[in-house]
Amino acid sequence: MVRFLTRKIADNLYLLRLDDDQIRYFEGLWEVPEGITYNAYLLVHHDKYVLIDTWKHAYASEFIEVLKGVVDVRDIDYVVVQHMEPDHSGALPKLLEENGFKAEVLGHPIVKGMIESFYHISPKFRAVADGSEIPVGSEPLKFFYTPWVHWPDNIMTYAPSLGVLFSSDAFGNYSIPSTVFDDGGLSTTYVHYARKYLATVVGHYREHVLKAINKLGEAGIEIKVIAPAHGLVWRSNPKEIIEYYLKWARAEGVKGKVVAIYASMYGFVEKAMREVTEELSERGFKVVTYAFTDSQHSLLSEVIGDALDAQALVIGVSTYEAGAFPLIEYLAELLARKTASEKSVLIVTSYGWGGAAGKKLADVLTSAGFRVADVIEFRGYPTKDDVVKLREAASKLARELSLISD
Ligand code: FEO
């Protein structure tokens, strides 16, 4: 059952949160058994009511009901559309209808045309300029363009009197947190879900995350609270999640972390991967393994999230129809799009009568910037000699990662 939550999070600021535990695939793509929240905010500024974002279209009626618990919807003066992806803008038409189209919509210039094409409505619209301030009541709201975190329209909104940065998708996390705030500090659970969110949703545009954080730093604003559009509100130590974001945006590897990914139809590749991962574990590496076999399928979203901060990857794949096994080929393309970096990759590949998978995978990953450390190819089930080669390749990779010495 989805849950709706209203919480006063500051004197004049309300969080309106939809806890969506019915969703299975965020954006129709990413498996999220942990669910997700959509966070909208209502700011009351000296008798002026400012709504920042909304919810998904499917919950537009519920959004209006929840909003009515806090304000007469006809009294809303401004709606800040920080991002047009429909998980945040979906309830906008219903809201404006209930509001009598009285409110002025504020957003990036591109938003006007997006509203018209997405929802076939033309509300009063004011484009905000990057770095500009708009007085609301007796106090200003400040706006920052943060394009491509996640779409070109993304902006962030800063309320100076509260020190609150409304950050849209940035600093968001998957899951339905049991609390509103991150009080008690950043737990490993939410680090995991924030990294997974960044990798899957914004991973392709990570350089723009760095630009956005740099821009906020140069603006010299004091950020006491980060209020994202998904997940926890960060107030315990907002700098901490920013630091994580910087590391993830650079795809910095956690020393000693290797992500092993393989598909194995009949156990041949699985045997080879076991040899490689055992060798790495024996040499002090923490190996996180994701498998695709006839008895299990890992979640693609988890693979992408975990790969982002791995020090290296090991990928096991067999040749299939003169190419790479399709699931792994698809995953390699996702890795290239979302986690492209200079990480080392060891490819382990099996064939029955003609090898093609290793080269195919190496081409995809190399063109995204990965460093293919080795391609170890063997025919059928790995022989004793193959096992020696596999363990030597793992050992060489370990040495290259500078974690062991001979
Ligand atoms: Fe949460 Fe890009 O939308």
Side-chain angles (χ1 to χ4, degrees), residues 26 83 85 87-88 150 169 197 201 230:
F26 186 68
H83 178 29
E85 190 165 6
D87 51 336
H88 309 295
H150 160 219
D169 276 342
Y197 182 80
V201 176
H230 300 286

Side-chain angles (χ1 to χ4, degrees), residues 17 27 83 88 93 117 119 132 139 141 159 173 199 252 258 273 297 302-303 336-337 378 388 403:
R17 193 176 98 174
E27 296 181 330
H83 178 29
H88 309 295
S117 61
Y119 303 121
S132 66
E139 301 198 37
L141 282 180
N173 63 268
E252 277 180 23
V258 172
M273 288 296 284
H297 265 201
E302 292 291 338
V303 178
R337 288 170 77 144
F378 54 93
V388 169
L403 274 180

Side-chain angles (χ1 to χ4, degrees), residues 206-227:
R206 281 177 290 119
E207 66 188 273
H208 297 278
V209 171
L210 294 174
K211 287 180 186 167
I213 292 175
N214 191 44
K215 178 183 277 191
L216 294 172
E218 285 178 351
I221 55 174
E222 184 189 11
I223 301 172
K224 294 180 187 162
V225 176
I226 295 177

